[in-house]
Structures are given as C-alpha cells and as structure tokens.
Amino acid sequence: MTARLGLGTYRCLDVAEAALMAASRGAGWVDTAPNYENGQAETSLALALAAYPDLRVSTKVGFLPPSARRLGVRAGALSAEDAEHGHCLAPDYIAWQVARSKRMLGRVPDLVFLHNPEHGCQDGEIADRLYAAFLTLEEACSQRAIGAYGVATWCGFSSGLFDVPTLLELATKAGGPNHHLRAIQLPVSLVHLTPVAQALDGQGPLAEALDAGLEVFASAPLHGGEIPDIVTRELAELISPDSTPAEAALTVVASAPGVKRVLLSTGNPEHWMGAAEAVGQLPLSPDVLRRVVDVLGT
C-alpha cells in the first residue's frame, strides 16, 4: 500500500494560500481544525474547497477557537467552565461545532476527528467520553452533516489510554455494525517511531487500524521541522540515496505499515513537490524500516 501526501494546516501561516498551492499540485486531502490559524482556518479553506470540488477535507472537534467560545456559550452548546478550559467533547458542543464547521467550510466535511480526546481526561472517564461523542457523531452522519468520523490523538495510543479495538467496540455500540468510524490520526515520525516498530511486529495502532480497514493519517511527520537535524548522511543513504533529510524522513513515515495519508504543513511549492515525490515512491522494505528503528531506537 502506498501512502498519499495530504496538507496539514496546523503550522500553515496562510491556510488559503497553502491549500490552493497544494490542490493545484495534486493534493487530494486537506486536514484542519476550528482552532487553527487563530480560529480562521475553516473559513480560509472555503475558497480552495470551492475551487477544487474533488479536494476532500477533514476537520476536528475538541479544542475551542477563542472566537467561538462566547458564541457557543450564548447558543447553550457550551458551559462557561468548558469555554474557560478551552477543550470540550460534550455532545451539545460537538453537534453545534459540526454545524458551524459545515458553514465555515462551505460544504459537508468528509471526516470529523475527535481532537485529542485524552485532553484533561480523568482516570476511568475516557470510555464514557468517547461513547457519548460517538453517539453524537453517528447522529451527524445519519443527518448527512458529516461523511464519517475518527479520532485524532497525540498520546492516547502511546499512553495506553485507549487502543483501536476499544474505539471499534465503542463505535459499534454507538452505531451498530455499520458504524461510521473510519480513521485515526496520530504522530508518526523519526521521533515517534514506536508505532512503526510495533506495526512491523503486527501490533499497535497502525497494524490494528490496517486490519480493521481504518485509514491512518500520520501527523507531524517532520516533528515541527526538527527531523532534518537528526538525519545523518548515513541514515539518509540507508533510507533513500540522494534525498534530503526531510524527504528521507517522509519516506519512512509513508512506508510505515497501515499509513494511508501523510499530513505535511507547508505553503512552499518546492517543499511540497519534494515531499510528494518522497511519499509517492515505492515503500521501503520491512528490513530497511527495522534498520532505521535499530539506528534511532523508539
């Protein structure tokens, strides 16, 4: 399976410009959230989505853009306490934010991720939190307000707070065997190599998602731009001769078993095209991936 490059907008300073650049160069997916670009990312994407109807889009619910907090409280979808906290996955807020995202984007989102559901979660709360959220998202799917849903997490899997079988069990409980849980998103990079090492042994979230038919979105593949500094010339040669450190790092992420989309935040056309070439080449063999893991550790 070959992964595809998608635009992640977390670090994009000008989301509209980045989306138009990526879409004009063949991007098929753009990922965003209401709190990106100082709360303007979804509105900024509307132009590119209108210009490129085949461009698919995912957004998120969880972190509250400052501009929406007062509106959410006024609408009765958000408590003052949750507004102050800055993160909420209460059913009323999810339903309100889904409708708002649809308006901002100018179209039905193809996918809505629960954004870091582990954020501020107390012991023993995660299953109830996810189940309540899944019920609301299943309802949104039935009303065709969204296409499907997923879970985007920074440390939910790595901390052991939840795993893919748990998500599938809760989704089945919420939506039956034809539930609409379709994807997971997690960091995969040369810094976050543990999911790759696990997948090579048929374990962990990447392998579990692959077995279940869920799409895996790899976030932060360059770890905020820090990755090139740890790629030695020897390591780059092992991964992909003549590639840049960034391209070598992206090749590893794209080769990880189960990864379907690699989300890169950039508005630079040259960086985008180099990344697209790296992601689009044939995956590295499991043997090479194991050697990379051995060199860098997990």
Side-chain angles (χ1 to χ4, degrees):
M1 183 176 70
T2 301
R4 296 183 179 182
L5 186 65
L7 179 68
T9 56
Y10 176 58
R11 291 183 175 272
C12 289
L13 299 179
D14 189 327
V15 169
E17 180 180 314
L20 288 168
M21 178 279 298
S24 69
R25 288 162 176 80
W29 198 289
V30 58
D31 178 74
T32 195
N35 59 308
Y36 293 175
E37 199 188 38
N38 297 316
Q40 298 301 311
E42 290 180 324
T43 302
S44 296
L45 277 177
L47 177 63
L49 294 173
Y52 294 89
D54 292 333
L55 181 63
R56 301 180 71 191
V57 60
S58 51
T59 189
K60 304 179 181 76
V61 291
F63 288 103
L64 313 174
S67 58
R69 295 177 189 182
R70 185 164 49 186
L71 293 174
V73 172
R74 188 183 306 164
L78 190 64
S79 70
E81 181 180 355
D82 282 335
E84 179 68 22
H85 183 56
H87 185 276
C88 182
L89 288 177
D92 286 346
Y93 172 70
I94 291 176
W96 181 82
Q97 182 59 60
V98 162
R100 187 171 187 267
S101 291
K102 180 183 175 183
R103 292 195 304 272
M104 298 297 100
L105 292 168
R107 74 156 74 157
V108 172
D110 294 283
L111 189 62
V112 170
F113 287 106
L114 295 182
H115 200 175
N116 288 8
E118 70 272 15
H119 185 81
C121 192
Q122 303 298 316
D123 290 343
E125 290 183 348
I126 191 64
D128 289 343
R129 175 182 286 193
L130 288 169
Y131 175 60
F134 285 3
L135 281 173
T136 305
L137 292 169
E138 287 288 348
E139 178 63 22
C141 289
S142 69
Q143 295 177 356
R144 298 184 179 180
I146 63 175
Y149 64 91
V151 173
T153 178
W154 186 257
C155 63
F157 294 120
S158 61
S159 68
L161 192 61
F162 51 78
D163 55 20
V164 170
T166 297
L167 298 181
L168 291 168
E169 180 182 350
L170 292 170
T172 302
K173 182 180 177 183
N178 297 318
H179 61 78
H180 294 83
L181 176 67
R182 294 288 184 271
I184 60 171
Q185 184 179 143
L186 70 160
V188 183
S189 69
L190 295 185
V191 171
H192 293 278
L193 268 178
T194 297
V196 180
Q198 292 173 327
L200 290 170
D201 292 328
Q203 301 175 351
L206 303 188
E208 292 167 350
L210 179 61
D211 288 344
L214 300 181
E215 292 194 8
V216 174
F217 289 66
S219 62
L222 298 180
H223 201 64
E226 297 176 15
I227 291 297
D229 294 335
I230 69 172
V231 180
T232 63
R233 181 177 301 176
E234 292 77 13
L235 183 58
E237 286 294 314
L238 168 64
I239 296 168
S240 181
D242 301 323
S243 65
T244 68
E247 290 165 0
L250 290 169
T251 298
V252 171
V253 175
S255 301
V259 170
K260 180 69 176 293
R261 300 189 187 275
V262 180
L263 299 176
L264 179 70
S265 290
T266 183
N268 185 304
E270 183 179 351
H271 291 173
W272 177 268
M273 295 307 295
E277 184 176 351
V279 170
Q281 62 184 299
L282 290 175
L284 300 175
S285 69
D287 179 62
V288 171
L289 286 176
R290 288 185 189 278
R291 290 168 65 188
V292 172
V293 171
D294 290 341
V295 170
L296 294 177
T298 55

